[in-house]
Amino acid sequence: MKKSVLERTNEHIVNLNKNTNQQLEKQKAFIRRQRDIQKKQVYQLTQGENALRYTKWGMKVGYVVLAGGLVTTLFSPWRGLGVMAVGGVSLLSNFYHTKRLEEKKKNK
């Protein structure tokens, strides 16, 4: 027995809705997993050795930015001073966090 066009269309729409709902659930589960991974990474960064390692890398980057600011000052003084200011703030922030984490590590 042949199905009418309306019945076939309704079945097709039901299948599309079912597929869409399945995709939505998979996306929600994926986002949930990613959020949990990111929470764990942020916790690790703010608590322990990873944070210490990243702040040491941040200090190296701060030195590079300061050097870049010095070079830029030769060609454009105000822009170079701005770059150096950003590098200095980054360097001081990372230096502070490195000291804080080292003290925290010693106290444990």
Side-chain angles (χ1 to χ4, degrees):
M1 178 161 94
K2 277 190 160 183
K3 294 182 181 178
S4 70
V5 173
L6 184 60
E7 290 173 335
R8 287 187 296 197
T9 304
N10 284 339
E11 287 178 2
H12 184 68
I13 291 173
V14 167
N15 284 337
L16 286 176
N17 286 339
K18 187 167 67 171
N19 290 341
T20 304
N21 288 336
Q22 288 173 349
Q23 286 178 348
L24 187 61
E25 289 301 317
K26 288 179 184 178
Q27 289 172 350
K28 284 180 181 179
F30 176 77
I31 291 171
R32 208 173 300 120
R33 283 194 309 270
Q34 290 299 110
R35 187 180 62 221
D36 292 341
I37 290 169
Q38 287 176 350
K39 280 182 183 178
K40 185 190 289 185
Q41 287 175 344
V42 166
Y43 179 77
Q44 288 174 344
L45 281 175
T46 58
Q47 297 301 316
E49 293 203 15
N50 280 344
L52 194 58
R53 185 177 76 225
Y54 284 118
T55 54
K56 286 182 179 177
W57 271 103
M59 288 179 69
K60 292 176 185 175
V61 169
Y63 287 127
V64 169
V65 171
L66 279 175
L70 284 173
V71 171
T72 307
T73 303
L74 298 174
F75 303 105
S76 174
W78 288 110
R79 189 171 293 155
L81 290 174
V83 170
M84 286 174 49
V86 168
V89 168
S90 171
L91 195 62
L92 290 174
S93 171
N94 285 304
F95 182 72
Y96 167 76
H97 287 296
T98 301
K99 291 296 181 192
R100 181 181 59 84
L101 289 168
E102 286 174 349
E103 288 296 321
K104 189 176 180 182
K105 201 174 183 181
K106 285 180 186 177
N107 291 336
K108 282 188 177 181

